[in-house]
């Protein structure tokens, strides 16, 4: 970096230089040469730089050969428009046929388990609630059929059995949904949420863990926390809004029973739904309000809670946020994530019972060796293996993640069996999306091509890739 | 005095020779086996011309070999004198008298009627630039001096290629080498034929090493040849074969062996070639193994807190065909019956009209729908503001 003194000297007149008693030899040598300019230097005004090109729509002089070059004067999409299009979830296809004899899922047939191996529809209120918690994904094939329907597979029955267990014994069930890519993990999570909505549980769902950790929302250190934790007010406010909307039927019947101890007047709060709405409207207070809501929900006599997250691997790694020392903040230091992770690990129990479901993602998954290993370990444990896999002690590991996932069980999704595959393919055909005779050779063929009945591949092969 | 043919040879010899020959020949004629040195027997008839001619040819042959002539002169004279002593002096005198008066070289020429003067002129012409006999002899016998200098003729030549021990009286060193090799091969062939069968007498049956011999040494021989790896010794031992080790001590031994341990086979393998002889290397290995075992047994630190480090070892993945996939006759039968059952079910469904066919379903639904007439397209009004 050149010394500012030197640069200043250049602007001095030679007569001024000679006046300096301390002028060095080099500066004296400079006085013998002619200075190139004696005018005082003027820095350019800020914002006066030459623009890279004419503003859009501005007419400019064009002397080049191609005088008829037409600029695209069309309207650009508004901010967020393209993202909205990308994230748009279409749940109906009016061109698809109405499937005759498609029954809805109800509390009654969940309990009896009659619907296993059948395709069931979802009722409108449940669909609204699921939409509110963003349980439907744009990548799933909902837009192909007349109305949302799903196959009650074997794993769904397992989840419903666990839910029944929760209700009877008030226990906390923690599961990681694991399986191959497109094996139906997110859909199983959706089925769990749907059943929870129907059973009047309180559902708190993080639709995609990537949104919390990707540093796209504001964050701030939580005062008085040690070790330092960070709140995400905008995200928490949005989460409260989702909770309020999705669980309005349940929360509007629950009255606050304790002193909420909030820094704003709570006179007008009559139900817990009001509390959640209040939090969604005051982002700066969203975290204390979330805590207050959680305290209320864990009081005795409240309904069970369903905690759900999709894309668990994002939570099990350092986040994209930076601390004041410009070091990455671990995802577990974000309060919302920490709240979820504490319940997943079993550190905090749900006093009224409940379920913590965390689905991994096969397609959008940052590398998380500790999570991968923990899932392997849990699977081996579930199979009753004697020699459990051991972490290579000479490899670095995210110890916090290992600690959290130490004793979490997994719910492994396998491919469909051929009977289930035939059921879902008959549903495709009845919807008019599979114009073929559904018989055993066809089912066998697609079942094999779909990697032993991977349901995502089955749908892709028989419906989406249809010529 | 040089003849015409000899002068041609001399001219050729005067050309510069770029390099020195491998050996310096002592004569112009290559070495050859000596002819018989027995004295020639004279014919009884002294006037026989044929005999004289033969004698002349013989002596000419002798003359060509300067060395042999010099050496055999003394012996020849002695034999001649011996022969003379056996002859009676009177007979000898008779013989001498029988020689005609003018018998000499010049007289012979006169008899032949050769013009001696013309012959003398011819000789004189050649003698003008002729060399003396001594010079000519030297030129023929001695090799021309190798060129010493750095001019055009010497470019790209190596000057010191001569074999100092070779004097032109023997086959070359390369030839001797070939012969030596041949002799060696024949020697080994003799050994193979006569000695090797006797080795079977020394053969001993293999004995499985006992538990007191857990170390297995490996030596390498290169069959008498010198080789840098001939001194190398390798030792292998199984850690569970080492006597008197508890599990903890064995684990410590494995940890101390480090990357020399193979977890798949439970074998430690170590080698030594840092000493000059095999025996020294073996002794070093033995001492090292003893120290390792001693340390494993008696050392204070058990290394229990150090995890095993097998990063050096990559176990080979072996894939075996699953037993469940083997198509046994029973399984074939089962699959066959299962498929048949499914086909029967499908045909039953088809007969009852319950087999779902997507294409037919769509057709049926479309045909049952009320046909909505196609909307008629009307051209839009032309104007300034056209639709883009």
């Amino acid at each position: 970096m050149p010394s500012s003194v030197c640069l200043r000297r250049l602007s001095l007149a030679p007569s001024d230089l000679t006046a300096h008693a301390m002028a060095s030899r080099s500066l004296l040598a400079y006085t013998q040469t002619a200075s190139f300019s004696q005018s005082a230097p003027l820095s350019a005004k800020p914002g006066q730089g030459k623009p890279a090109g004419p503003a859009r729509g501005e007419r400019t002089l064009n002397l080049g050969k191609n005088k008829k070059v037409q600029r695209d004067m069309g309207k650009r999409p508004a901010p967020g428009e393209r993202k909205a299009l990308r994230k748009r979830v279409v749940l109906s296809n009016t061109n698809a046929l109405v499937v005759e004899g498609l029954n809805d899922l109800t509390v009654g047939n969940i309990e009896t388990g009659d619907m296993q191996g059948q395709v069931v529809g979802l009722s409108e209120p449940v669909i609204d609630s699921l939409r509110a918690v963003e349980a439907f994904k744009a990548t799933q094939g909902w837009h192909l059929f007349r109305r949302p329907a799903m196959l009650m597979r074997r794993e769904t029955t397992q989840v419903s059995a666990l839910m029944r267990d929760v209700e009877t014994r008030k226990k906390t069930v923690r599961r990681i949904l694991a399986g191959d890519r497109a094996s139906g993990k997110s859909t199983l999570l959706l089925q769990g949420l749907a059943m929870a909505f129907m059973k009047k549980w309180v559902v708190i769902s993080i639709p995609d863990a990537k949104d919390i950790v990707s540093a796209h929302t504001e964050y701030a250190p939580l005062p008085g926390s040690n070790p330092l934790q960070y709140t995400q007010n905008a995200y928490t406010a949005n989460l409260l809004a989702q909770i309020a909307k999705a669980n309005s039927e349940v929360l509007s019947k629950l009255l606050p029973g304790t002193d909420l101890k909030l820094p704003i007047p709570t006179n007008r709060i009559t139900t817990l739904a009001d509390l959640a709405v209040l939090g969604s409207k005051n982002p700066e207070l969203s975290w204390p309000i979330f805590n207050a809501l959680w305290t209320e929900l864990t009081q005795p006599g409240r309904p069970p809670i369903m905690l759900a997250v999709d894309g668990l691997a994002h939570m099990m790694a350092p986040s994209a946020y930076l601390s004041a020392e410009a070091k990455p903040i671990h995802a577990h230091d974000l309060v919302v994530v920490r709240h979820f992770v504490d319940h997943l690990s079993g550190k905090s129990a749900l006093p009224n019972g409940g379920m913590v479901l965390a689905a991994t993602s096969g397609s959008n998954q940052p590398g998380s060796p500790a999570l991968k290993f923990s899932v392997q370990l849990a699977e081996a444990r579930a199979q009753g293996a004697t020699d459990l896999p051991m972490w290579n002690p000479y490899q670095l590991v995210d110890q916090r993640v290992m600690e959290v996932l130490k004793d979490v069980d997994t719910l492994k999704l396998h491919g469909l069996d051929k009977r289930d595959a035939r059921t879902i393919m008959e549903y495709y055909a009845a919807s008019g999306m599979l114009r073929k005779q559904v018989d055993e050779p066809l089912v066998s063929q697609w079942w094999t091509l779909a990697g032993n009945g991977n349901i995502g591949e089955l749908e892709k092969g028989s419906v989406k890739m249809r010529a | 005095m040089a003849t015409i043919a000899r002068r041609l040879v001399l001219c050729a010899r005067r050309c510069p020779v770029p390099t020195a020959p491998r050996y310096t020949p002592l004569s112009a004629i290559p070495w050859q086996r000596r002819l018989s040195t027995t004295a020639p027997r004279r014919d009884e008839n002294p006037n026989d011309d044929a005999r004289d001619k033969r004698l002349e040819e013989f002596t000419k042959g002798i003359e060509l070999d300067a060395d042999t002539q010099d050496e055999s002169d003394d012996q020849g004279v002695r034999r001649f004198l011996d022969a003379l002593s056996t002859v009676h002096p009177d007979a000898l005198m008779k013989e001498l008298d029988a020689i005609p008066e003018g018998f000499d070289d010049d007289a012979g020429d006169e008899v032949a009627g050769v013009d001696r003067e013309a012959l003398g002129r011819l000789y004189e012409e050649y003698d003008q630039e002729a060399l003396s006999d001594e010079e000519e002899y030297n030129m023929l016998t001695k090799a021309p001096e190798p060129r010493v200098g750095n001019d055009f003729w010497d470019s790209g030549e190596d000057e010191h290629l001569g074999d100092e021990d070779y004097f032109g009286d023997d086959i070359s060193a390369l030839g001797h080498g070939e012969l030596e090799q041949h002799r060696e091969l024949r020697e080994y062939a003799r050994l193979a034929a006569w000695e090797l069968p006797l080795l079977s007498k020394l053969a001993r049956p293999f004995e499985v090493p006992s538990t007191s011999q857990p170390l297995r040494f490996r030596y390498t021989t290169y069959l008498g040849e010198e080789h840098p790896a001939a001194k190398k010794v390798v030792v292998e031992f199984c850690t569970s074969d080492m006597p008197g080790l508890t599990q903890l001590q064995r684990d410590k031994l494995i940890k101390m062996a480090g990357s020399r341990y193979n977890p798949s086979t439970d074998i430690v393998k170590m080698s030594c070639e840092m000493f000059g002889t095999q025996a020294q290397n073996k002794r070093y290995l033995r001492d090292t193994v003893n120290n390792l075992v001693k340390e494993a047994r008696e050392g204070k630190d058990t290394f229990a807190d150090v995890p095993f480090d097998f990063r050096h070892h990559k176990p080979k993945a072996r894939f075996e065909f699953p037993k469940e996939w083997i198509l046994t006759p029973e399984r074939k039968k089962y699959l066959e019956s299962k498929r048949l059952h499914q086909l029967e079910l499908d045909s039953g469904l088809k007969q009852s009209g319950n087999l779902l066919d997507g294409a037919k379903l769509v057709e049926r639904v479309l045909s049952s729908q009320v046909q909505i007439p196609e909307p008629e397209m009307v051209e839009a009004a032309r104007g300034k503001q056209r639709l883009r």
Side-chain angles (χ1 to χ4, degrees), chain B residues 17-279:
Chain B
V17 180
T19 53
R22 297 267 168 150
Y23 61 92
T24 45
L26 294 177
S27 83
I29 302 153
W31 179 87
Q32 48 186 233
R33 190 192 162 92
R34 283 181 190 165
L35 299 174
S36 169
T37 50
T38 17
R41 288 203 164 186
R42 287 171 187 272
D43 210 319
E44 290 300 316
N45 185 5
N47 294 328
D48 194 351
D49 287 341
R51 186 202 62 183
D52 288 341
K53 268 185 191 167
R54 269 188 272 122
L55 194 63
E56 212 173 276
E57 278 172 14
F58 176 67
T59 46
K60 210 188 274 174
I62 297 285
E63 268 173 16
L64 284 172
D65 194 345
D67 291 346
T68 53
Q69 197 183 18
D70 293 342
E71 282 172 21
S72 59
D73 268 353
D74 294 349
Q75 291 180 350
V77 170
R78 199 172 295 131
R79 283 202 199 91
F80 184 59
L81 291 174
D82 291 346
L84 273 182
S85 60
T86 57
V87 179
H88 197 271
D90 296 344
L92 193 64
M93 288 307 292
K94 267 185 191 173
E95 289 250 351
L96 288 172
D97 292 339
I99 298 169
E101 285 266 327
F103 185 76
D104 65 295
D105 284 356
D106 295 345
D109 284 345
E110 274 176 26
V111 171
V114 175
D115 183 1
R116 295 193 65 152
E117 284 179 11
L119 202 62
R121 279 197 301 278
L122 188 64
Y123 284 155
E124 275 168 14
E125 267 180 38
Y126 287 118
D127 282 344
Q128 281 174 2
E129 48 177 322
L131 305 163
S132 69
D133 278 354
E134 193 184 356
E135 282 171 340
E136 186 195 332
Y137 176 76
N138 284 341
M139 272 200 104
L140 276 173
T141 55
K142 286 185 183 167
E145 289 293 317
R147 288 179 52 82
V148 179
N150 194 16
D151 62 0
F152 173 77
W153 301 105
D154 300 304
S155 58
E157 293 290 343
D158 194 350
E159 292 179 6
H160 308 288
L161 278 174
D163 186 353
E164 291 175 359
D165 299 332
Y166 187 63
F167 300 108
D169 55 350
D170 197 0
I171 57 170
S172 63
L174 197 68
H176 274 297
E178 291 279 334
L179 282 178
E180 189 59 36
Q181 200 180 9
H182 197 72
R183 276 185 215 112
E184 200 178 356
L185 282 175
R186 296 185 69 167
E187 189 189 343
Y188 281 117
R190 277 195 300 278
L191 281 175
W194 299 104
E195 301 289 331
L196 287 187
L198 300 179
L199 286 179
S200 61
K201 284 181 185 171
L202 302 173
R204 282 181 298 169
F206 174 70
E207 285 175 19
V208 180
S210 65
T211 48
S212 62
Q213 301 167 296
L215 301 185
R216 185 168 58 185
F217 287 95
R218 194 193 78 193
Y219 319 96
T220 315
T221 174
Y222 291 87
L223 297 175
E225 284 186 22
E226 278 201 10
H227 195 279
K231 61 189 178 182
K232 181 178 178 177
V233 182
V234 183
V235 68
E236 285 182 347
F237 62 90
C238 183
T239 57
S240 50
D241 286 351
M242 299 312 272
L245 287 185
T246 63
Q247 185 60 41
L248 194 66
Q249 290 167 350
R250 204 182 130 229
D251 290 350
K252 185 182 174 184
L253 180 65
I254 289 169
K255 283 166 192 169
M256 284 192 296
S259 62
R260 294 167 196 82
Y261 178 71
N262 183 348
S264 296
T265 55
D266 187 28
I267 280 178
V268 176
K269 177 179 177 180
M270 44 210 286
S271 69
C272 179
E273 53 179 329
M274 64 180 173
F275 297 108
T277 63
Q278 231 173 32

Side-chain angles (χ1 to χ4, degrees), chain A residues 97-413:
Chain A
L97 305 181
V98 179
V99 180
E100 292 167 13
L102 180 67
N103 296 316
D104 275 1
L105 191 65
T106 60
V107 182
N109 55 30
I110 292 172
E111 291 296 329
T112 54
D114 293 341
M115 287 296 165
Q116 192 195 345
Q118 289 188 32
V119 178
V120 292
L122 289 167
S123 57
E124 285 298 325
V126 177
I127 291 174
D128 289 345
S129 294
L130 290 173
R131 251 189 190 282
V133 296
E134 296 178 30
F136 296 107
K137 299 282 156 69
T139 49
Q140 294 165 341
W142 306 108
H143 62 280
L144 295 165
F145 305 101
R146 179 58 77 106
R147 69 190 188 93
M150 57 203 189
L151 176 72
M152 298 299 280
R153 54 196 290 185
R154 203 173 49 216
E155 289 84 359
T156 318
T157 318
Q158 284 179 21
V159 172
S160 69
L162 288 171
M163 292 176 87
R164 198 161 52 240
D165 219 25
V166 165
E167 286 178 333
T168 51
R169 292 197 225 158
K170 291 201 171 186
K171 62 190 272 193
T172 309
V173 171
R174 301 169 285 125
R175 288 286 185 278
I176 293 175
L177 306 183
D180 292 337
R181 189 177 173 277
S183 59
K185 300 178 288 295
S186 294
T187 311
L188 183 62
L189 191 71
L190 177 139
Q191 289 174 337
L193 294 180
M195 289 188 286
F197 280 124
M198 274 183 265
K199 286 166 174 274
K200 312 289 181 199
W201 289 21
V202 177
V203 175
I204 298 175
S205 171
I206 298 170
D208 192 353
K210 187 184 177 182
D211 295 340
I212 320 179
V213 297
S214 61
H216 284 199
T217 59
E218 63 195 52
Y219 71 118
L222 182 65
S225 59
N226 187 26
L228 194 59
Q229 293 173 41
Y230 297 84
T231 54
Q232 291 157 291
N233 291 334
Y235 189 89
T236 316
N238 183 43
L239 185 65
L240 282 170
Q242 285 186 2
I243 293 168
K245 193 177 175 191
N247 302 291
S248 58
E249 196 187 339
V250 181
L251 291 182
S252 57
K253 288 174 189 163
L254 297 176
L255 308 179
T258 57
D259 180 17
L260 296 172
K261 291 178 189 167
L262 288 174
I264 49 167
T266 52
N267 304 332
R268 302 175 68 181
I269 292 175
T270 50
T271 63
L272 293 186
D274 295 342
L275 185 63
V277 171
L278 183 72
S280 68
K281 287 180 179 166
N282 297 285
E284 68 280 6
L285 291 175
S286 57
W287 180 243
I289 291 176
F290 181 88
N291 273 334
L293 180 66
W294 188 260
T295 315
E296 282 295 324
L297 289 174
T298 48
Q299 294 302 310
R302 304 290 193 192
I305 296 173
M306 166 70 89
L307 272 176
V309 67
D310 202 352
L312 180 69
H314 288 282
M315 276 187 179
M316 297 298 163
S319 71
Y321 290 106
L322 293 182
S323 67
E325 294 84 35
K327 300 263 171 58
I329 298 171
H330 198 279
H332 293 185
D333 286 336
L334 303 170
V335 283
V336 181
V337 176
R338 192 188 188 88
H339 182 262
F340 183 88
V341 159
D342 280 351
H343 288 90
L344 179 67
S345 66
K347 190 181 169 189
S348 313
L350 300 168
N352 300 311
M355 193 176 235
V356 187
L357 281 185
T360 56
S361 171
S363 50
N364 180 13
Q365 189 179 25
S368 179
L371 172 66
K372 198 177 164 189
F373 174 77
S374 300
V375 168
Q376 280 175 356
L377 187 67
E379 280 168 8
R381 224 187 303 130
Q383 285 172 357
T386 48
D387 51 341
L388 295 174
M390 274 176 57
W391 180 263
N392 182 354
Y394 290 94
Q395 227 170 355
L396 276 181
V397 65
D398 195 338
Q399 206 59 47
R400 298 179 75 170
V401 175
M402 290 289 256
E403 194 62 29
V404 160
L405 301 176
K406 201 167 48 185
D407 58 346
V408 187
D409 290 334
T410 57
L411 202 155
K412 173 97 177 169
L413 278 91

